[in-house]
Amino acid sequence: MTQIQTPVTSSSVVQSGATPLAPADVPMLPLKVKVLRFNPEQDKKGRWVTYDIEAQPGDRLVDVLNEIKWYHEPSLTFRRSCQHGICGSDAMMINGRNRLACKTLVRDLVKGSGGEITVEPIRGLKVERDLLVDMEPFFDAYRAIMPYFINEDPAPAGERLQSEAQAERMAHSSNCILCACCTTSCPIFWVNGSYLGPAAIVQAHRFIFDSRDQATQQRLNIMNQNTGVWRCRTAYNCTEACPREIPITSLIEEVKRAVMFQQA
Amino acid sequence: MIKARTLSDARQQSHSNAELNWWIFMRISGLILVFLVLGHIYMTFIQVSEADATYVAVVNKLSNPAWKFYDWLILALALLHGANGARYSIEDYVRTRPDRAWIKGTFYTVIALLFAFGTVGLFSL
Amino acid sequence: MHHRYDVIVVGAGGAGLMSALYAAKGGVSVACISKLYPTRSHTGAAQGGIGAALGNIQEDHWEWHMFDTIKGGDYLTDQDAAEVFSKDIIEVVYELEHMGLPFSRTPEGKIAQRKFGGHTRDFGKAAVERSCYAKDRTGHMILQTLYQQNVKAGTLFFNEFHVTDLIIEDGRCRGVVAYDLATGELHTFHAKAVILAAGGYGRVFKITSNALTLTGDLMSIYYRKGLPLQDMEFYQFHPTGLAKLGILVTEGIRGEGGILRNSNGERFMERYAPTIKDLAPRDIVARSMTTEIREGRGVGKDKDAIHIDLTHLPREVIEGKLAEITDLARTYLGQDPVKDLVMVQPTAHYAMGGIPTDLNGLCLSDGNGGSIEGLYAAGEQACVSLHGANRLGTNSLGDLVVFGRRAGRYAAEYAKQVEYAEMPENAEAESRRVFDDLRAASGKDNAAAIRKELQETMMRNVGIFRNGPDMAKQVEIIKELKTRYKNVGVSDTNARYNSELVEALELGFMLDCAEAMASSAVNRTESRGAHDREDFHQRDDVNWLKHTMAYRDMNNPGNVLIGYKDVALKGFTRSFEPKPRVY
Amino acid sequence: MYKGREGQWAFLLHRLSGLAILLYLMLHVFSIGSVILGEEFYMRIHHVYDLGIFRVGLIAVVAGVVYHAFNGLRIIVMDFAGAGVAYQRQMWYGVLAITALATLYAAWAQFPRILGGY
Ligand SMILES: Cc1cc2nc3c(=O)[nH]c(=O)nc-3n(C[C@H](O)[C@H](O)[C@H](O)COP(=O)(O)OP(=O)(O)OC[C@H]3O[C@@H](n4cnc5c(N)ncnc54)[C@H](O)[C@@H]3O)c2cc1C
Ligand code: HEM
Ligand code: SF4
Ligand code: F3S
Ligand code: FES
């Protein structure tokens, strides 16, 4: 069996492949990475485990977690894939805030002399193991808003025309990578899982304000229900958590107004 | 509310404007309440002491129909506004169905009784 | 658990989602199995665009696109595939738009297009705007749009299921076996037709633009059955990855006017490709950059990077059309393209080779027209040989949708005609054995250490510049790593979400892909496209105008047998004679 | 605790203050409404309010109402004007400042009375 040592020190010998190679003069920072772990086959509830490890200021947190997983604690479980903030796999609560581990650099978490970093699973979704949560309720909400383009007219031979300004209307909302950072930072969603959540509303916005789409009314109706936009209490956690810098609260407010004007 | 998991669930649930109307009501009543409540507080708490709100003082003040109406407006708007606000909280925090129904039922009854009590109080004087 | 669907699609990237959509349109039952949630697939990382001769900016024709593709592929491209592709892609791009894809627009409201490496007008005269784009997140938009359409169509997804085996008997595919990450159980999927679309294997290299999960699983599974992998020696290095990290900076950055500069500030591409300069195809640019670095004109602390200069472009262009990469450069390098030069380095990017297929996506079992009934493939993991020896930018997204669509269509058609072929009893036996071996291994070796060694040595020995001795050495290194792999243990004994087990499994797949790749590369004694040998500097059409087919030697595992396949030098209506490739 | 920023705390305080003043309102309606139950009953309740602790509590009610009222205005501005969202942080600090001033003013008006037993 692989040797597992906890706590551990690293990492001049073993350096993860993903970690950018250190120019020699960049110092390694000593870190205490506190992870809220949970193994459904052994634990009743989560337990904090601290890993002592070294990393460079420019390393991504995902590099640090990979390092722990690959060389010290292979059972540490979390999702990740692209490593640069485009696939939306690695949303977690880092130092008390939702972020993507791959878009968070060590130097933004600790001071120049190292320090402690806490990592927890995102909230409001069932923890399956360690930092990995059940995403199904999140995607259920996504599917509930009819997240697909609808235009029943026969398509023209070429493209449907759309002005640059109309295309720009979708610039923010279409940028979403469904990472769930927003929905799981929302204080309403934590306590009320039936709220569709900011991510689903952003997706609805994407179609509601698409000049080519014809199902605006149906989507606004979905947004108008008890589980829709009206549950949002403008807490802004979503906007602050979004790794794609989508002004989510603004978009939600636009949808609220659109529902209002539709019904008026 | 049940969560809309499919399109047909969603459609079924989407025919009511209740939430929208409450949302608008919260804003309009809030706007009005700013003047009413802050005015009320200023007049009854800052200008005079709480200790001045004796039986006689209250009865005196309320003999004027304008004050009657003013206070009744606060009573109605604030109770409705507050009750609906509390409903938001109940729906958010109480997630099991039978509990929620009980709590809401009891709460609305209390609010209704208070409203009746207050109204009778205002207009019986 | 046992499941049964007419068509099973493996993989939910652009290729998988497109084929699932089209299989469903064919009126058969479809399920899509993916080891990632569909929207996590790496297609989402593609930035620059999808090439189609729409002619929205300047006159353009599919023949020009076909020519560029063939020339870009250094004439190893099958010309029939290139012709089908350049015609179909126009239709498919409009189809994507009709599915709601939010393309950027021209002032007239048409799909916006920009220049991209190797795409020219009038058979090589000058660069042409052919890449249709949605800002610099075209792949993201394609992935989202196709997933949305699948939600609409009600496609059934099995997410976080890792396919571990293909069931092929008597030349017919009968289904797949998959490992459910959530429970640790093996599931068998019985199918009339199976479509493979599991993406590339860039993770065999140290510096790569590819996701951690791109480990060549299905290529390896195919290869383990004694079936061939085609043209594995051709692996594309993208010129511009963020220094050290390999994160991709789209070629669109040069399409919009970005300029590569060496440490003297010189626009060195003028020397290597006088006509189209910075917009030369990727193999040429990557080699030119590496040459500059080798000759001491690199930038950065280790002098191993090159600058990309955008500072002369207006801020709106950079922050608008190139928002994604602006954010990446700011986040990871702390360099702001608006005012700083950004440090880039070639990064392992794209596998031209893979599972050989015909034009309908049917998988080939040899170089002489043999095929596997009921088994189709599309996307990066497949090789219709559209890209030949070097892929042009924007042609991969095109490949996904054009050939994904065809594979979906033909698989559905086939599934409608045939009955289910019998599934062998104990279909999951082989997968079970693989897992049991991993669990029972001594654990003397660490999977991560082996993977790291593989990545570093591949980068060094089978990278941008290659030579016989280094590659031969690499073949031996891989043999040794494979022996060590047998000792890799898995300490995590839990059934649920055992990612350690899965990663160990993936390492096994990567080693196979690397083996096929290194052996194919040593074997090809010429330089062509992305395969550049210092010891065989010239392209050799007399001996090497043919595809490599690498087979695992079933009697002597670890050995690779090489066969060949003819290049289709004729399209249906147009053909282009091989010529020296200058830009 | 989730490390949310201004918006999260603004929301939390708005909800707490709303519920708190609703609770107070219910008591208030009951106590004032009890005028219909006759002078004796009314005054018996009313004397409880003379206790110092209650008088200080009333200052807290003022704080709650003022915060809730002005933050309510902030919310309305956010709902109907794009700029409201853009400046929500600044507005929240404004709300806090107004709340603090109003509370101090109420306290300044009240303390002499409380100390003086009037
Ligand atoms: C950073 C970057 C930028 C790019 N930019 C462009 C561009 O601008 N234009 C262009 O044309 N091309 C571009 N490319 C290339 C192109 O994006 C890829 O080649 C293409 O997306 C591959 O798509 P795919 O569908 O074949 O595979 P992927 O999108 O990689 O999907 C693979 C799928 O297979 C699944 N899978 C893998 N293994 C298994 C298994 N064992 N069991 C079950 N499921 C499995 C995965 O879950 C995933 O869903 C870019 C590539 C990268 C990396
Ligand atoms: C004085 C002027 C007032 C204004 C301007 C005001 C404004 C508002 C607004 C705009 C909301 C909606 C918040 C949202 O949707 O996020 C709200 C909620 C609420 N209000 Fe008021 N209000 C006022 C007075 C009151 C009073 C007197 C009470 C108590 C009786 C009260 C109790 C509540 C409650 C409980 C909520 C729900 C809070 C939540 O769920 O977030 N409000 N208020
Ligand atoms: S809106 Fe932002 S935070 Fe929310 S899911 Fe999309 S990308 Fe993630
Ligand atoms: S955090 Fe929640 S309350 Fe609204 S503004 Fe964002 S959805
Ligand atoms: S790993 Fe893809 S978003 Fe972080």
Side-chain angles (χ1 to χ4, degrees), chain A residues 137 140-141 144 146 148 188 191-194 196 218 221-222 224-227 230-231 233 256 259-260 263, chain B residues 1-7 9-11 13-14 16-17 19-20 23-24 27 87-89 91-93 95:
Chain A
D140 280 344
M146 307 165 65
Y148 34 79
I188 303 298
V191 293
N192 180 352
S194 79
L196 291 173
Q218 286 97 308
N221 283 343
I222 296 169
N224 189 19
Q225 59 187 310
N226 181 290
T227 52
W230 306 121
R231 285 242 90 82
R233 297 263 84 81
K256 285 179 187 168
V259 175
M260 191 173 69
Q263 297 298 334
Chain B
M1 288 293 135
I2 18 160
K3 173 161 184 174
R5 284 188 185 272
T6 63
L7 184 53
D9 288 0
R11 285 222 176 99
Q13 289 182 32
S14 62
S16 149
N17 272 339
E19 286 296 331
L20 165 64
W23 185 82
I24 295 173
R27 270 129 258 265
R87 175 181 69 90
Y88 290 156
S89 288
E91 284 174 0
D92 282 345
Y93 299 109
R95 296 305 308 154

Side-chain angles (χ1 to χ4, degrees), chain A residues 1 43 83 89 108-109 117 126 156 169 206 208 218 250:
Chain A
M1 291 286 115
D43 303 331
Q83 310 258 85
S89 299
D108 298 328
L109 295 172
I117 298 175
K126 181 168 164 270
R169 204 73 186 81
R206 144 82 183 80
I208 290 170
Q218 286 97 308
S250 289

Side-chain angles (χ1 to χ4, degrees), chain A residues 85 88 91 98 100 135 138 172-173 175-185 197-203 237-248 251, chain C residues 40 140:
Chain A
N98 282 3
L100 295 178
M135 295 296 291
F138 176 80
H172 286 307
S173 53
N175 203 359
C176 170
I177 54 173
L178 296 170
C179 67
C181 273
C182 55
T183 296
T184 59
S185 74
I201 301 176
V202 166
Q203 290 293 331
N237 280 2
C238 53
T239 303
E240 261 133 32
C242 180
R244 308 284 291 172
E245 289 173 11
I246 301 172
I248 303 175
L251 302 192
Chain C
R40 317 277 185 240
H140 165 77

Side-chain angles (χ1 to χ4, degrees), chain A residues 232-234, chain B residues 23 26-27 29-35 37-38 78-79 81-86 88-89 92, chain D residues 11 14-15 17-19 21-23 25 65 68-73 75-76 79:
Chain A
C232 167
R233 297 263 84 81
T234 47
Chain B
W23 185 82
M26 290 303 269
R27 270 129 258 265
S29 60
L31 271 180
I32 303 173
L33 281 168
V34 173
F35 300 100
V37 172
L38 293 183
L79 274 182
H81 177 106
N84 185 54
Y88 290 156
S89 288
D92 282 345
Chain D
F11 149 72
H14 192 76
R15 179 161 275 193
S17 62
L19 291 174
I21 54 182
L22 175 63
L23 195 71
L25 177 76
V65 170
H68 189 92
F70 284 93
N71 193 55
L73 293 177
I75 293 173
I76 295 170
D79 287 335

Side-chain angles (χ1 to χ4, degrees), chain C residues 547-566:
Chain C
H547 298 295
T548 307
M549 305 290 260
Y551 301 78
R552 177 188 201 184
D553 183 345
M554 299 304 272
N555 303 316
N556 186 3
N559 239 17
V560 180
L561 304 175
I562 303 284
Y564 299 100
K565 179 172 170 267
D566 291 337

